[in-house]
Amino acid sequence: MRNFIVTIDGKSYSVGVEEVGETASQTPVAVPEVKPVAAAPAPAAVQKGEKVASPFPGLIKKLCVAEGTAVKKDQPIIVLEAMKMDNEITAPCDGKVYYKVAKGANVDTDTLLAVIG
């Protein structure tokens, strides 16, 4: 079983997914109840920061710096994997980074990844 955090319409959910295939058993799997995960409220300064959106769909492979870390313009903040290639997403300006996604999340084009405030 692999656990993921999925964000839908700004609400995060913890979801467990069981692998199915040739190596998995053919026993029916009970679907667990999906429970909302409480998101930490963002500081007021974050709301006024520079938004960083995903340029294309992909998988968040790595968060390069810790939440709240001061970054410089063009410093890598996220590694986004798309079509088996790693792409660095960089800070558009100087400031502190506040992530809006988690490592392992799948994102679509224009998904808010982070705010630099």
Side-chain angles (χ1 to χ4, degrees):
M1 169 108 29
R2 293 184 65 188
N3 294 315
F4 297 91
I5 295 178
V6 180
T7 303
I8 301 172
D9 294 328
K11 292 184 181 178
S12 295
Y13 299 89
S14 177
V15 181
V17 179
E18 187 167 329
E19 194 171 323
V20 183
E22 293 178 18
T23 59
S25 68
Q26 297 300 322
T27 320
V29 176
V31 178
E33 180 181 341
V34 176
K35 299 177 185 176
V37 175
V46 172
Q47 303 302 327
K48 297 178 184 178
E50 183 80 20
K51 294 180 173 141
V52 181
S54 178
F56 40 77
L59 170 76
I60 303 299
K61 190 169 182 181
K62 180 180 178 185
L63 303 177
C64 299
V65 297
E67 178 89 12
T69 300
V71 294
K72 297 287 185 186
K73 182 178 181 186
D74 297 326
Q75 179 178 345
I77 57 171
I78 294 175
V79 175
L80 179 64
E81 180 184 291
M83 297 175 50
K84 298 187 181 184
M85 293 182 61
D86 290 348
N87 302 278
E88 288 185 341
I89 306 300
T90 60
C93 60
D94 293 354
K96 290 185 179 180
V97 64
Y98 298 96
Y99 293 111
K100 299 299 180 182
V101 293
K103 180 181 175 183
N106 285 303
V107 297
D108 291 322
T109 302
D110 295 328
T111 299
L112 181 62
L113 302 176
V115 176
I116 309 296

